[in-house]
Amino acid sequence: MKPLLQKTCDIAVDFLESLPGREVGRPVDYSTLLATMGGNLPQNGEDPLHVIEHLAKTTASALVASPGPRYFGFVIGGSVPAALAVDWLTSTWDQNAVLFVSSPAAAAAEEISRRWVLNLLGLPVEMTAGFTTGATMANFTALAAARHAMLKQVNWDVEEHGLFNAPEIAVITSAESHVTIFASLQMLGLGRSRIIKIATDGQGRMRPDALRHALADLRGPLIVCAQAGNVNTGAFDPVDEIAPIVRDHGGWLHVDGAFGAWAAVSPRYCHLTRGMELADSITLDSHKWLNVPYDSGLVLVRNAEAHHQAMTLNAPYYVVSNDVARDNTDWVPESSRRARGFTVYAALRSLGRSGVTSMVERCCQFAQRMADRLSQHPRVQILNEVVLNQVLVRFQPPSGTSSDAFTADVIRRVQEDGTCWAGGTTWHEMRALRIAVSNWSTTEADIDSSADAILRCAFGQC
Ligand SMILES: *Cc1c(COP(=O)(O)O)cnc(C)c1O
């Protein structure tokens, strides 16, 4: 084992050390990649050392430097060193985090992480936590708990009887809810096209007056999905105004805060998350702004019974431990599963409250710096109020062509240039470059060189 793992460590260190300097994305020929990495299934096994070296060599130019400091696509986040190291140990220990009896350590890691996250974000201590693959399954789990609780109010046991002949649940989202909210509702039998979508304001925030209007004639079971952190603008729905409206209607309020909810840690930005502590359920991604390796989502639920009933497996051979110890499977859709608590524990322990706070604040300040530098050019327009870590940039062409076409062209050139990587989006009918700053290792110099590269790709000088 030792030579194999030491070689693996060398390869890993080489990769990490290459990150600050390497091109972020490179064009890849997919069929060549399939041929060089793959080929035919070997009849006889190969030496593990050879397998590792072959894989490292053939993937080298096809890896994206997304854990690196100048990757601004989607909202990705890197891996803080302690979390990366503990991720290796998680694989090495190979614990099945399903039950307390299958890994007391994995149960404790999730329980400690649950307490620390609630403390960090100022949320009610009694909230239950499920450690999911990502925010998609966190949304799914939260909405399954909501479905349980809302139908129980009208004496319908949805886990036993399903949705056939069940009383209807009114489901309300914002017009700009994340796509995974709709995917979760679709998987839960709540449908996509029957959802009521509430109008948003100029920054993509749900309008409380429009919500109040939509609820005026609604009676019966109700689920409302708000969000903390719009994936385009970074704006937050006014949860402090939305929560009392939902409560007056006896509804369930879910807040998708995959990346934005982490802003609650910062005295400078926590005003954005005001009211989040009133939510019935909250989604977070540790693999985004906490900079834990994939896969690491988190669902927090206030009603433990609903959370548990929606997720429990109820199989006779599952020896449920006891009332004191945690069975991780009780709070997530899966049975056998990776011990996700260890990496969250490691990130929180190594950063501490002050480390998470400064990581979040640094990213926000860098987003503002990026916006300031880009907007010095007269033909650059920043489309959003930069309230968090997201910047939407639109480029005006020298003449003739449309801004949409020109911006799309700039996005392509930025991605090919390789200095940094950012994606495209269409926001309120406008094509835009979308920049998300969410990596612990990004420096001011990375922001400046990336801004220069973007301007150079757009206008040919900087
Ligand atoms: C990223 C994101 C999701 C989906 O998260 P995954 O971890 O990719 O499943 C959901 N909601 C919001 C607001 C997000 O930013």
Side-chain angles (χ1 to χ4, degrees), residues 173-236:
T173 68
S174 131
E176 296 189 38
S177 285
H178 194 268
V179 287
T180 58
I181 288 286
F182 302 106
S184 300
L185 292 167
Q186 155 198 327
M187 290 189 280
L188 287 162
L190 295 169
R192 299 174 71 96
S193 57
R194 59 186 290 287
I195 297 165
I196 302 165
K197 296 184 185 172
I198 304 297
T200 51
D201 68 11
Q203 294 298 311
R205 292 175 289 238
M206 187 193 285
R207 281 176 34 203
D209 60 319
L211 175 65
R212 214 175 275 116
H213 183 74
L215 287 178
D217 301 325
L218 279 180
R219 297 290 172 269
L222 167 71
I223 299 174
V224 176
C225 303
Q227 72 186 349
N230 178 300
V231 282
N232 283 313
T233 62
F236 289 64

Side-chain angles (χ1 to χ4, degrees), residues 146 149-150 153 215 218 220-224 243-253 280:
M150 289 300 100
Q153 275 182 0
L215 287 178
L218 279 180
L222 167 71
I223 299 174
V224 176
I245 302 173
V246 179
R247 186 157 293 176
D248 281 351
H249 277 77
W252 178 290
L253 175 62
D280 294 291

Side-chain angles (χ1 to χ4, degrees), residues 271-293:
H271 64 279
L272 295 167
T273 64
R274 247 194 321 256
M276 194 169 71
E277 70 283 357
L278 303 172
D280 294 291
S281 55
I282 301 171
T283 283
L284 286 110
D285 256 333
S286 301
H287 62 218
K288 287 183 179 167
W289 226 347
L290 191 58
N291 278 235
V292 163

